[in-house]
Amino acid sequence: MPQISFEVAKYTIDKLLSLLASKSNISIDVVQSKFHAKYFKSYFDELQARTIVIENGYIDRDYLEDYAAYYARCFREYPRQCTRLHFFNKNFTHKCFADLLRNAKSSLTIESLQESYLGFIVIRPLPLTIVGRTCLKTYDTNGDRRHFPVVREYKVNLYGIELPIKSIAFQEQDRAVSACATSALWSAFHRTGMLFQHAIPSPVEITQSANTQFPLASRGLPSSGLNAEQMAGGIRSVGLEPYLIEVSDQEVLRNVTYAYVSGGIPAILVFKLFRTENNQSREMGMHAVTVTGFSLRSSNDEPTKQVAFKATRIDKLYVHDDQVGPFARMKLDGVTLPDKNIHSIATAWSDCHRAVPEFVLIPLYHKIRIPFESVYEAVGIFALSVAAFSNAQTFPYPDDIEWDVFLTTVNNFRSNLLETSILTGDRAERVLCDRFPRFMWRATARTNELPMFDLLFDATDIEQGRFFHRAVEYDPGISAYLRHVLNHQNIEKTIKNTLAWQIVDWFRKNPA
Amino acid sequence: MGAASKAKLVSAKEAKTLASKTCTWLSTREGKKALKTAVTRGGQLSNRLKEARKVNPESLRKPMGF
């Protein structure tokens, strides 16, 4: 058995592209023509990559599954082993790395490698779709602007050196065993598998299980692409429930994506892709990507004096787009297609490729039963009523209230209370030791970025029931104010038959 | 108290005084109308989402082939 060899190279984009070409045995022209080439250049520039460690003869579980199901049965012989490239933002040489492995004196330490680790790319030995499982560090948060809730920790092992990285797996679809929809599901399952404890299927297993439920929709292998019904079947095959919502209205897209993605649940965005040229747009087909994060505009940009949801500040989505790369930007710039009166969003493909969102598909644990729209209705009516008091100039705070509505778990809620020290003393202990459902919708009301109170809804309840669980109050002034005002007879008369009544009723019945 | 206490602009007593003024306003024609409008607008907001749940079945059968 030959020894597994490694190489160490100084990072440059030309070096990376030549490695992608040589290790997959395709021409450099093909590699350079891919969107990934341009994307990796800007991404690794941003991450400040310095060194690549090349792990030859790497056996990748996902590729091996695809290989066994498809490539092993081809007449042409495809290699079984891949190459894995590891990236570091630190300069070191082959000798330094070899000395570290030999336990000899080296300027390199395991800790310094761990600190400088940026992630890896697996190169598959295939004719065109060479970017296999890829886990790269996210962009930095840039203050509080960028958010990447849909990541998990991977413990990468490089010749015995443990390199932890927070990311979510990405791969280019290979057009034999999967298309973009399968890749989007595969990335999403890497997160939900950790969140909801289910096995993470390989791409070929996803395609096969999706086709089992709708066998006539398309050929199984080679795959020409799944439709939404098949994707829903793929979600059910891992024991989750698909939540589907149309997002042609970009405010709906912002609110829904924020609500679930903030809770760490990936959303699969399906859109029509258009190519625009000379003031004309041509539809290219349907495409699916996994939403892994978002960027928020500053809260000071647009004072509203009305009800404001934090979600409406989303100005970019970060998506795993198998045709481009991980954490690719899609800018919600409000531009309409040149020859059609349809709102579109920018893609990372190129300036002339625009996306028209169709729907979002979210894989949910079966116990998450209360959909976002029910919570949005209850919070929306309550929030608008409170905003009305504000217009009367008798509200305790002069600034707008911003509502932050998202799905959370009891553990995350408690940890957040403890970490932020919003509550202290007996009140903190009482809240932390209270009983809560496992999944909750949390609506935080803030003014000037400081929390006034949380409204907590039981996400595991039934819609016809009273799914409001309780409020957690942080400001005695607003607590006293609300209890007094919400007891007014006109409030009962106007709000009683709405979903917001359960919130009002809780304030009326529970003393501060 | 933590961060929230720094934002406290009014005491509980002041809050009750302001609340009494809000209650007086709620009893006026203007207050009743404003509250009713708020509830109607809240319903309209959520209707956008409820409508969005009715996805066109045709779009569910289009393959995503990129």
Side-chain angles (χ1 to χ4, degrees), chain A residues 173 179-180 224-229 231 243-246 249 251 270 272 284-288 306 349 358-359 372-373 376-377 381 384 388 392 394 396-397 421-422 424 427 450-451 474-475 477 481 484-485 488 490 494 498, chain B residues 1-12 15-16 18-28 32 34-36 38-39 41-43 45-46 48-57 59-66:
Chain A
Q173 51 95 1
C180 60
S224 54
L226 304 179
N227 62 34
E229 284 180 333
M231 288 174 83
Y243 170 84
L244 183 79
I245 188 159
E246 199 180 277
D249 179 337
E251 285 312 295
V270 175
K272 278 182 190 156
M284 296 171 68
M286 301 274 275
H287 189 35
Q306 288 297 331
W349 287 46
E358 287 270 304
F359 53 85
F372 172 65
E373 62 268 22
Y376 187 71
E377 180 174 344
I381 293 171
L384 279 157
T394 55
Y397 298 107
S421 309
I422 309 170
T424 52
R427 290 185 61 222
L450 291 165
Y474 308 117
D475 185 308
Y481 174 85
H484 200 91
V485 173
H488 193 276
N490 279 349
T494 318
T498 72
Chain B
M1 289 289 280
S5 62
K6 290 174 201 158
K8 194 178 74 179
L9 299 177
V10 291
S11 66
K16 275 185 186 165
L18 286 168
S20 299
K21 286 182 185 168
T22 305
C23 287
T24 310
W25 173 79
L26 273 173
S27 301
T28 65
K32 282 179 196 167
L35 190 63
K36 214 169 176 179
V39 172
R41 277 200 53 222
L45 272 180
S46 68
R48 279 165 83 179
L49 266 92
K50 283 178 186 161
E51 280 301 309
R53 287 303 302 277
K54 297 172 192 161
V55 180
N56 176 5
S59 68
L60 302 181
R61 291 185 198 117
K62 289 182 193 161
M64 288 150 244
F66 281 101

Side-chain angles (χ1 to χ4, degrees), chain A residues 60-70 124 133 171 174 177-179 181-187 189-190 198-210 221 226 234 237-238:
Chain A
D60 183 69
R61 182 243 164 187
D62 288 282
Y63 175 66
L64 209 55
E65 294 280 352
D66 293 354
Y67 181 88
Y70 193 89
R124 292 185 297 212
R133 193 163 59 97
Q171 76 165 350
D174 66 4
V177 301
S178 67
T182 299
S183 287
L185 283 174
W186 178 78
S187 288
F189 290 158
H190 267 255
H198 66 73
I200 302 168
S202 68
V204 71
E205 289 165 336
I206 294 171
T207 306
Q208 283 171 336
S209 62
L221 300 177
L226 304 179
S237 73
V238 295

Side-chain angles (χ1 to χ4, degrees), chain A residues 106-233:
Chain A
S106 170
S107 59
L108 210 55
T109 62
I110 289 174
E111 290 74 26
S112 66
L113 277 181
Q114 287 169 336
E115 277 168 25
S116 60
Y117 192 54
L118 302 175
F120 66 84
I121 298 175
V122 170
I123 306 175
R124 292 185 297 212
L126 293 176
L128 186 66
T129 52
I130 55 175
V131 182
R133 193 163 59 97
T134 295
C135 289
L136 296 178
K137 200 175 159 181
T138 61
Y139 291 108
D140 73 38
T141 56
N142 192 9
D144 196 33
R145 189 171 71 79
R146 295 184 187 125
H147 300 257
F148 298 98
V150 182
V151 291
R152 51 169 275 204
E153 187 171 83
Y154 291 87
K155 284 186 176 158
V156 181
N157 199 295
L158 176 61
Y159 307 125
I161 303 166
E162 200 170 87
L163 300 166
I165 179 130
K166 276 192 176 169
S167 185
I168 200 77
F170 162 88
Q171 76 165 350
E172 182 184 13
Q173 51 95 1
D174 66 4
R175 290 183 199 168
V177 301
S178 67
C180 60
T182 299
S183 287
L185 283 174
W186 178 78
S187 288
F189 290 158
H190 267 255
R191 172 65 182 161
T192 55
M194 300 299 285
L195 268 182
F196 307 132
Q197 292 88 43
H198 66 73
I200 302 168
S202 68
V204 71
E205 289 165 336
I206 294 171
T207 306
Q208 283 171 336
S209 62
N211 276 304
T212 311
Q213 303 191 35
F214 297 93
L216 293 175
S218 62
R219 186 181 166 138
L221 300 177
S223 172
S224 54
L226 304 179
N227 62 34
E229 284 180 333
Q230 290 174 311
M231 288 174 83

Side-chain angles (χ1 to χ4, degrees), chain A residues 272-298:
Chain A
K272 278 182 190 156
L273 192 69
F274 285 83
R275 190 180 165 85
T276 59
E277 248 170 346
N278 304 325
N279 275 336
Q280 289 203 315
S281 56
R282 182 175 56 84
E283 188 180 330
M284 296 171 68
M286 301 274 275
H287 189 35
V289 296
T290 313
V291 182
T292 54
F294 49 82
S295 142
L296 296 173
R297 278 184 290 109
S298 155

Side-chain angles (χ1 to χ4, degrees), chain A residues 64-128:
Chain A
L64 209 55
E65 294 280 352
D66 293 354
Y67 181 88
Y70 193 89
Y71 299 106
R73 293 171 186 183
C74 292
F75 176 69
R76 188 185 146 178
E77 283 187 30
Y78 287 97
R80 201 165 58 86
Q81 296 184 353
C82 304
T83 306
R84 186 159 66 157
L85 308 181
H86 300 267
F87 298 85
F88 299 85
N89 63 8
K90 177 182 174 64
N91 289 310
F92 58 88
T93 61
H94 187 281
K95 186 179 179 308
C96 290
F97 188 71
D99 283 346
L100 182 73
L101 295 183
R102 286 191 206 112
N103 256 331
K105 198 178 170 191
S106 170
S107 59
L108 210 55
T109 62
I110 289 174
E111 290 74 26
S112 66
L113 277 181
Q114 287 169 336
E115 277 168 25
S116 60
Y117 192 54
L118 302 175
F120 66 84
I121 298 175
V122 170
I123 306 175
R124 292 185 297 212
L126 293 176
L128 186 66

